[in-house]
């Protein structure tokens, strides 16, 4: 009997577009993601921890990104994790920042399922202490199970949503970083 790869295990074709400050993407689609480089003490720590964790096995350029958000509407609405929890925002809010828009090829039914899941996460909390503990565990090379499932981090939210459409990832949601997302989709700055 020939070897057959299940459809969910196949890579999802994608492309990405850089949006420089002052630019925005045209025709956003539910199920696509953005990768953002933010500036602040927490955002400076994220790439540093991702780069330290990635030494020797990943391209350090992937650690450029400090935040990920999921597109949930054709009008550019995003579901993202901020310091105060999971919120609905707009891609337009990132017009002044440098970001990459990752186009993920999915059927419309899967796009709807991804968006539905992400919207169901709105108002969940984001635990700063669970983030700090997870970051310390990742710096030490350990895979973290610190955060409760009801709490969200930006990469975990994106992974959980995209898994609903059969997109596969190397690690579980709680173990993924924004750098891991960038590596999975081949997005270098």
């Amino acid at each position: 009997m020939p070897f057959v790869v299940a459809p969910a295990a196949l890579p999802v074709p994608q492309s990405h577009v850089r949006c420089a400050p002052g630019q925005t993407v045209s025709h956003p689609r539910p199920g696509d993601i953005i990768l953002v480089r933010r500036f602040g003490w927490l955002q400076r720590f994220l790439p540093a921890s991702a780069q330290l964790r990635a030494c020797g096995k990943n391209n350090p350029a992937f650690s450029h990104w400090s935040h990920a958000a999921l597109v949930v509407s054709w009008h550019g609405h995003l579901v993202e994790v901020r310091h105060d929890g999971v919120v609905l925002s707009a891609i337009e809010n990132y017009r002044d920042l440098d970001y990459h828009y990752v186009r993920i090829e999915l059927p419309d039914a899967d796009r709807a399922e991804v968006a539905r899941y992400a919207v169901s996460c709105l108002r969940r909390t984001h635990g700063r202490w669970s983030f700090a503990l997870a970051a310390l565990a990742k710096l030490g090379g350990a895979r973290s199970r610190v955060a409760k499932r009801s709490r969200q981090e930006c990469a975990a939210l994106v992974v959980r949503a995209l898994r609903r459409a059969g997109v596969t990832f190397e690690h579980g949601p709680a173990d993924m970083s924004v750098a891991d997302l960038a590596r999975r989709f081949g997005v270098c700055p």
Side-chain angles (χ1 to χ4, degrees):
M1 178 159 197
F3 178 73
V4 178
V5 177
L10 295 174
V12 175
Q14 53 79 35
S15 64
H16 53 87
V17 176
R18 178 179 179 253
C19 295
Q23 298 177 334
T24 192
V25 69
S26 62
H27 309 296
R29 306 174 311 176
D32 291 347
I33 65 173
I34 65 168
L35 299 174
V36 183
R37 169 97 175 187
R38 287 185 175 170
F39 298 97
W41 73 269
L42 186 59
Q43 287 74 27
R44 284 188 190 105
F45 173 75
L46 285 170
S49 68
Q51 190 167 359
L52 284 172
R53 192 182 85 186
C55 283
K57 66 177 184 169
N58 296 328
N59 182 342
F62 295 128
S63 66
H64 173 82
W65 310 109
S66 60
H67 181 63
L70 187 71
V71 180
V72 295
S73 81
W74 299 96
H75 301 289
H77 293 101
L78 303 172
V79 169
E80 62 181 320
V81 179
R82 292 189 182 167
H83 69 281
D84 54 347
V86 182
V87 299
L88 185 66
S89 64
I91 200 166
E92 187 65 26
N93 295 347
Y94 291 96
R95 181 180 278 278
D96 295 335
L97 297 175
D98 187 26
Y99 69 91
H100 273 63
Y101 184 93
V102 182
R103 294 187 180 278
I104 302 172
E105 295 307 319
L106 298 171
D108 286 346
D110 287 342
R111 289 184 184 288
E113 182 58 31
V114 167
R116 200 171 10 260
Y117 172 78
V119 168
S120 77
C121 295
L122 290 173
R123 297 192 190 115
R124 288 190 183 173
T125 59
H126 172 66
R128 287 186 182 188
W129 289 112
S130 63
F131 163 78
L133 291 172
L136 288 173
K138 288 176 182 179
L139 277 173
R143 291 291 172 192
S144 170
R145 298 280 182 237
V146 175
K148 294 181 179 179
R149 182 160 167 59
S150 64
R151 294 183 183 256
Q152 295 284 352
E153 293 177 15
C154 64
L157 174 69
V158 169
V159 169
R160 285 184 179 113
L162 289 176
R163 280 182 156 187
R164 303 277 189 292
V167 180
T168 59
F169 295 91
E170 184 178 347
H171 305 293
D175 297 326
M176 291 288 287
S177 68
V178 179
D180 293 328
L181 285 173
R183 184 169 51 91
R184 166 64 173 84
F185 295 113
V187 182
C188 287

